[in-house]
Structure formats: C-alpha cells, structure tokens
Amino acid sequence: MAREPFNRASPERISPGDPVRTCIGCRQRASKRELLRVTAGSDTHGHPAVVPDPDGTAPGRGAHLHPTAECYELAVRRKAFARALRQQSGAGGGLSSAPVQAWLDSQP
Ligand SMILES: [Zn+2]
C-alpha cells in the first residue's frame, strides 16, 4: 500500500475563480482568457471545419487551445480537434482546421 506524499507542485499563477481550461494541443491547463476557443463550424466553402471563436460566443461544443503555432501543430497531429469537438465526419476526421491556422497567421 503506497502512501501518497502530499506533494504540491509549483503553484499555478491562476487566480481563484478564473475559469480554467485544458489546451487540446499541449494538454496544459491555463486560464480560459489565455486560450483560443474553437468550435465546429464550416469554412468559406461550407465544408465542415474547425473555426476560431475568439469571443467565446459561438454556440455548441467548443475546445480550447493556446493561440500559438506550436499548440496548433500538436492538436493537428493528435487529431485533437475532431476528438474534442466529437465530429464523426466520415473518413477518420476530415475536419479541416485551416480556418484556425489562418486566424493564427493573422495575429500580430
Ligand atoms: Zn497549449
């Protein structure tokens, strides 16, 4: 029977009451305000796609991601968008995340 040490990891710099979400890229938890919300929507051609929701106002299921190229790439490699948004889009995740990449590219 292993006794669990009461080991507190370095305290996070998250103020109490701040909503915390997990980044689907790096899997780190962060304040919701630091993350970009994405939802399942459609691209400019009407195809199913992951679209950024920087205001956090779009209805439906959302996922959260650090607005960085690193976390975006991780999420793409893990197919985390499709998993997080529960998209059963036929041939194993045909959900395009190009709109998110375009949004990231447009950021300063
Ligand atoms: Zn991240």
Side-chain angles (χ1 to χ4, degrees), residues 23 26 66 71:
C23 170
C26 64
H66 284 112
C71 290

Side-chain angles (χ1 to χ4, degrees), residues 31-76:
S31 164
K32 193 180 170 189
R33 282 174 305 176
E34 294 173 38
L35 300 171
L36 170 68
R37 184 175 190 258
V38 298
T39 59
S42 51
D43 65 14
T44 49
H45 307 288
H47 300 302
V50 186
V51 293
D53 176 29
D55 298 327
T57 54
R61 179 180 285 271
H64 291 81
L65 174 79
H66 284 112
T68 64
E70 286 82 7
C71 290
Y72 172 78
E73 292 291 338
L74 279 168
V76 169

